[in-house]
């Protein structure tokens, strides 16, 4: 059932960030003494942090640009004017530090982080129900960690701010390793504080499983496979997730927050400013839904060709042609996972699935390394896709087979760029999918936005 607990609120905490100093500034210039004093205040504040995940610089737009279009799964296509130019530059590694999508990812991510920091600092001194306090602390730590994880993957050399920022504070870049160590600590606390599941109006909040899944992803990124295996095994054994029987039933508004879902960014249509734009952004034609079809985030031919005959994931994931209003067949790759018919343009109720159980199973296989147990986990995912099992005798290395399975299972869900980097094959795979991009031009990191360099003259720009 679609959750509506989080977002039908005024963005009071997320809308008043000062432009006079860095984007790590406190979210609100309101009188915090008056606001952060009751349970209701902190509930509203954490709800605003969830709402911040909808922002264009986070899951609304920039994240799929950075983590899908940057890799080999999708591209912008030949047209490169207006907004499309920003996407095309990211896709081809020709963007500069002024690219608005990259700047938005930094700005909006740190805006939500700043809100979480205020919550975490102020909540300890307020008398309130202990269980609710612990839950809100866990939620704030999870949300902050989720954003820091993505910032570390994209930029690596970033400020780590875990207390409210004040003008005049000195900001220093730290390595991704420092970020990840902080996330391990925070996510262990978050997992301990959060619930296994929620009911009624709280469905959609971060759970123990969500914190543990992100923790495992951080540990794998750090190559701490044994530690990741312990966490992932805990998810499998104790947190009650299951694969949905039919891959097609993972998608669509009626299937959201299902038994496989671990964490979703909740969107609500209805003209309240909290609908998602995925349907219109990804559709190739206005004929397929209400409003314009912008044809962005287009699956590459390499993505299309990665599917084998009989893979039941293909049709729910992407299309290769459509019929337009003139009854003409147009050949074009497009994403189908976010199809809907919103009441108005860019106002779909389609959620963004951040984590789901299939990812946990594939990560557990990665943590175990090549073994019968690892292949059994991969084959659980393949069986749902209607595919025969694989084993050590199947052509290719274990890493190649696992990465291929992750691409097909998790296509267009913002995992690909992190996977390519973790497996050390980003340049190779990008060039194979789009030969016009030379391997030598494929950079692992995005540029630090120019505004941040201008404000913080001690910051060092990424070059690799």
């Amino acid at each position: 059932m679609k959750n509506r607990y989080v977002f039908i609120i005024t963005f009071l905490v997320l809308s008043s960030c000062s432009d006079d100093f860095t984007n790590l500034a406190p979210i609100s210039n309101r009188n915090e003494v008056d606001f952060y004093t009751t349970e209701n205040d902190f509930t509203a504040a954490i709800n605003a942090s969830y709402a911040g995940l909808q922002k264009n610089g986070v899951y609304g737009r920039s994240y799929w640009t950075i983590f899908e279009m940057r890799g080999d799964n999708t591209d912008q296509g030949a047209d490169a004017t207006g907004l499309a130019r920003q996407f095309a530059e990211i896709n081809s590694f020709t963007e500069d530090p002024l690219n608005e999508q990259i700047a938005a990812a930094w700005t909006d991510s740190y805006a939500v982080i700043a809100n979480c920091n205020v919550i975490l600092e102020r909540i300890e001194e307020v008398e309130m129900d202990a269980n609710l306090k612990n839950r809100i602390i866990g939620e704030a730590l999870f949300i902050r960690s989720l954003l820091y994880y993505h910032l570390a993957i994209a930029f690596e050399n970033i400020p780590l701010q875990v207390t409210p920022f004040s003008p005049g504070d000195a900001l220093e870049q730290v390595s991704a390793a420092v970020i990840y160590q902080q996330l391990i600590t925070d996510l262990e606390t978050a997992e301990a504080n959060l619930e296994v599941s929620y009911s009624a109006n709280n469905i959609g909040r971060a759970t123990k499983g969500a914190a543990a899944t992100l923790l495992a992803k951080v540990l794998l990124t750090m190559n701490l496979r044994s530690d990741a295996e312990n966490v992932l095994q805990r998810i499998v054994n104790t947190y009650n997730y299951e694969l949905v029987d039919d891959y097609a039933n993972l998608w669509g508004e009626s299937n959201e927050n299902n038994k496989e879902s671990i964490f979703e960014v909740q969107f609500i249509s209805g003209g309240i400013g909290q609908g998602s734009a995925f349907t219109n952004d990804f559709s190739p034609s206005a004929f397929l839904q209400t409003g314009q079809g912008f044809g962005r985030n287009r699956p590459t031919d390499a993505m299309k060709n990665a599917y084998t005959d009989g893979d039941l994931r293909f049709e729910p994931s992407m299309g290769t042609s459509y019929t337009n209003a003139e009854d003409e067949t147009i050949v074009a790759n497009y994403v189908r996972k976010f199809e809907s018919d919103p009441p108005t343009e860019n106002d779909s109720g389609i959620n963004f699935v951040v984590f789901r159980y299939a990812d946990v199973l594939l990560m557990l296989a990665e943590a175990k390394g090549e073994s019968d147990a690892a292949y059994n986990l991969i084959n659980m995912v393949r069986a749902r896709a209607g595919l025969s099992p694989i084993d050590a005798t199947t052509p290719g290395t274990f890493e190649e087979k696992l990465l291929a399975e992750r691409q097909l299972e998790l296509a267009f869900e913002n995992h690909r760029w992190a996977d390519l980097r973790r497996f050390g094959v980003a340049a190779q795979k990008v060039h194979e999918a789009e030969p016009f991009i030379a391997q030598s031009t494929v950079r692992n990191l995005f540029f630090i936005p120019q505004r941040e360099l201008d404000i913080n003259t001690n910051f060092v720009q990424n070059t690799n």
Side-chain angles (χ1 to χ4, degrees):
M1 183 175 66
K2 168 69 78 171
N3 165 49
R4 299 178 185 275
Y5 80 97
V6 169
F7 306 117
I8 306 179
I9 57 174
T10 302
F11 278 52
L12 59 96
V13 187
L14 287 172
S15 62
S16 54
C17 199
S18 170
D19 290 331
D20 296 334
F21 45 91
T22 183
N23 294 321
L24 291 182
I27 291 299
S28 179
N29 293 325
R30 294 181 50 179
N31 187 332
E32 294 178 6
V33 174
D34 292 339
F35 180 69
Y36 291 96
T37 57
T38 69
E39 289 184 2
N40 288 340
D41 292 342
F42 284 98
T43 299
I46 195 63
N47 289 352
S49 294
Y50 281 105
L53 300 178
Q54 301 172 338
K55 292 166 77 71
N56 277 344
V58 191
Y59 284 95
R61 178 167 289 157
S62 290
Y63 277 20
W64 57 254
T65 307
I66 291 174
F67 301 108
E68 286 290 322
M69 194 175 289
R70 187 65 149 190
D72 56 341
N73 278 3
T74 63
D75 60 28
Q76 165 55 38
D79 53 322
T81 59
L83 182 60
R85 176 187 56 79
Q86 301 172 25
F87 300 141
E89 290 173 350
I90 291 170
N91 172 227
S92 61
F93 295 83
T94 58
E95 86 283 357
D96 61 29
L98 297 174
N99 186 281
E100 293 178 15
Q101 295 305 310
I102 306 307
W106 181 288
T107 301
D108 287 350
S109 296
Y110 271 117
V112 182
I113 287 169
N115 193 40
C116 292
N117 286 341
V118 174
I119 292 170
L120 291 166
E121 179 171 89
R122 297 301 306 272
I123 196 169
E124 291 292 356
E125 63 194 50
V126 175
E127 290 188 10
M128 57 189 293
D129 178 80
N131 290 331
L132 178 60
K133 176 182 286 190
N134 286 336
R135 192 197 77 191
I136 291 174
I137 290 171
E139 290 175 285
L141 289 171
F142 169 77
I143 294 169
R144 186 176 75 180
S145 297
L146 182 65
L147 299 176
Y148 266 130
Y149 166 77
H150 286 92
L151 289 169
I153 294 294
F155 300 103
E156 281 197 357
N157 307 301
I158 59 175
L160 175 61
Q161 189 76 16
V162 295
T163 58
F165 178 85
S166 296
D169 285 357
L171 298 177
E172 301 289 340
Q173 290 169 290
V174 300
S175 68
V178 174
I179 300 292
Y180 296 143
Q181 286 293 343
Q182 179 70 45
L183 300 192
I184 291 172
T185 300
D186 289 348
L187 290 166
E188 287 174 345
T189 301
E191 185 181 357
N193 281 20
L194 294 169
E195 301 294 329
V196 172
S197 63
Y198 301 97
S199 59
N201 288 335
N202 282 321
I203 291 175
R205 291 190 182 275
T207 60
K208 288 183 181 293
T213 300
L214 180 54
L215 175 58
K217 204 168 283 287
V218 170
L219 292 168
L220 284 177
T221 303
M222 299 178 71
N223 201 31
L224 299 175
R225 295 189 177 189
S226 178
D227 292 340
E229 182 179 357
N230 291 335
V231 175
L232 291 160
Q233 201 67 61
R234 182 164 68 247
I235 299 171
V236 171
N237 293 340
T238 63
Y239 290 158
N240 304 320
Y241 298 107
E242 300 177 54
L243 294 179
V244 169
D245 293 337
D246 186 342
Y247 191 82
N249 290 340
L250 287 165
W251 316 110
E253 193 169 352
S254 63
N255 294 318
E256 292 170 347
N257 303 305
N258 55 58
K259 64 182 181 179
E260 184 169 336
S261 172
I262 297 177
F263 185 70
E264 302 182 16
V265 177
Q266 311 286 316
F267 287 88
I268 303 171
S269 65
I272 59 174
Q274 298 181 62
S276 64
F278 307 130
T279 296
N280 294 103
D281 269 350
F282 301 160
S283 173
S285 170
F287 187 57
L288 298 181
Q289 78 291 300
T290 298
Q292 181 66 46
F294 295 101
R296 298 170 181 145
N297 206 30
R298 306 169 186 177
T300 61
D301 284 339
M303 179 76 248
K304 177 184 68 175
N305 295 334
Y307 292 93
T308 57
D309 290 343
D311 192 328
L312 300 177
R313 296 171 294 199
F314 177 77
E315 186 172 348
S317 299
M318 63 173 288
T320 57
S321 65
Y322 62 94
T323 303
N324 67 11
E326 288 73 39
D327 204 30
E328 301 169 323
T329 298
I330 308 299
V331 176
N333 297 336
Y334 62 99
V335 175
R336 296 195 62 192
K337 284 185 175 180
F338 303 92
E339 285 185 327
S340 69
D341 191 12
T344 57
E345 185 173 290
N346 296 333
D347 190 30
S348 170
I350 293 288
N351 288 353
F352 195 95
V353 180
V354 177
F355 298 134
R356 55 187 178 88
Y357 189 53
D359 185 17
V360 167
L361 296 177
L362 294 176
M363 285 196 293
L364 183 54
E366 181 180 345
K368 288 179 176 294
E370 187 162 29
S371 60
D372 288 345
Y375 282 115
N376 286 340
L377 291 162
I378 295 171
N379 289 330
M380 288 175 62
V381 176
R382 288 177 60 83
R384 179 176 64 180
L387 300 177
S388 58
I390 61 173
D391 57 28
T393 66
T394 306
T397 68
F398 175 73
E399 288 75 18
E400 289 170 343
K401 288 177 280 190
L402 177 59
L403 184 62
E405 202 61 43
R406 288 187 62 80
Q407 180 183 32
L408 295 167
E409 177 65 28
L410 303 170
F412 322 126
E413 298 175 49
N414 290 2
H415 298 283
R416 186 59 173 174
W417 184 245
D419 285 354
L420 292 178
R421 289 201 54 207
R422 189 170 72 254
F423 282 72
V425 294
Q428 171 195 336
K429 291 297 184 181
V430 167
H431 175 69
E432 288 176 356
E434 300 181 277
F436 74 92
I437 303 175
Q439 289 196 43
S440 60
T441 66
V442 174
R443 289 177 282 107
N444 285 323
L445 304 180
F446 289 88
F447 291 123
I448 305 295
Q450 187 61 48
R451 179 178 182 274
E452 301 307 315
L453 297 176
D454 294 340
I455 294 170
N456 304 281
T457 56
N458 58 316
F459 280 15
V460 177
Q461 182 59 278
N462 290 327
T463 58
N464 62 319

